[in-house]
């Protein structure tokens, strides 16, 4: 998904993301870097930096101490996020073209 679409989806779910750990798996060539954030401001700044590197974005899953739930389509993001009590939200950023 393009950065503009991703940022719009994050903006719409901003209130639901407060207080959660936000993780981005950044795939750049053959290297994978896990970035972890506890604030929306730091997460947003990282998204802007990754966007400048040409990254595309996606949603992976949400989780808590007991379970994890995958997010398979961007349209499911808000629905899945609001259907449970989640501690962590996982995202993907990649410069690799599939």
């Amino acid at each position: 998904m393009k950065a503009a679409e991703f940022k719009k989806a994050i903006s719409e779910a901003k209130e639901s993301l407060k207080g959660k750990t936000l993780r981005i798996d950044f795939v750049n060539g053959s290297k994978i870097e896990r970035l972890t954030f506890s604030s929306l401001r730091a997460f947003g700044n990282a998204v802007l930096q990754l966007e400048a590197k040409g990254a595309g974005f996606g949603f992976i899953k949400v989780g808590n101490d007991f379970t994890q739930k995958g997010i398979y389509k961007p349209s499911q993001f808000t629905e899945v996020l609001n259907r449970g009590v989640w501690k962590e939200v996982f995202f993907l950023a990649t410069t690799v073209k599939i």
Side-chain angles (χ1 to χ4, degrees):
M1 138 185 309
K2 295 188 189 268
E5 296 170 283
F6 180 76
K7 292 188 295 187
K8 182 178 183 218
I10 295 300
S11 176
E12 291 171 357
K14 181 171 63 174
E15 290 301 315
S16 298
L17 292 172
K18 286 184 179 176
K20 295 179 179 31
T21 300
L22 307 172
R23 299 184 190 273
I24 300 174
D25 287 340
F26 176 46
V27 180
N28 188 8
S30 61
K31 186 172 110 177
I32 300 174
E33 182 180 357
R34 175 161 283 169
L35 309 169
T36 304
F37 307 95
S38 57
S39 78
L40 284 173
R41 180 180 298 273
F43 175 77
N45 288 336
V47 167
L48 293 174
Q49 290 173 354
L50 294 171
E51 179 184 18
K53 293 179 180 180
F57 296 90
F59 305 102
I60 299 175
K61 62 186 173 184
V62 292
N64 60 33
D65 292 337
F66 305 105
T67 189
Q68 294 183 344
K69 173 98 172 126
I71 301 172
Y72 304 104
K73 298 177 189 172
S75 60
Q76 293 177 311
F77 175 62
T78 304
E79 179 184 337
V80 171
L81 189 60
N82 291 328
R83 276 200 163 165
V85 179
W86 309 110
K87 288 176 60 177
E88 299 177 300
V89 184
F90 297 82
F91 305 95
L92 175 68
T94 183
T95 59
V96 177
K97 302 294 182 213
I98 299 173

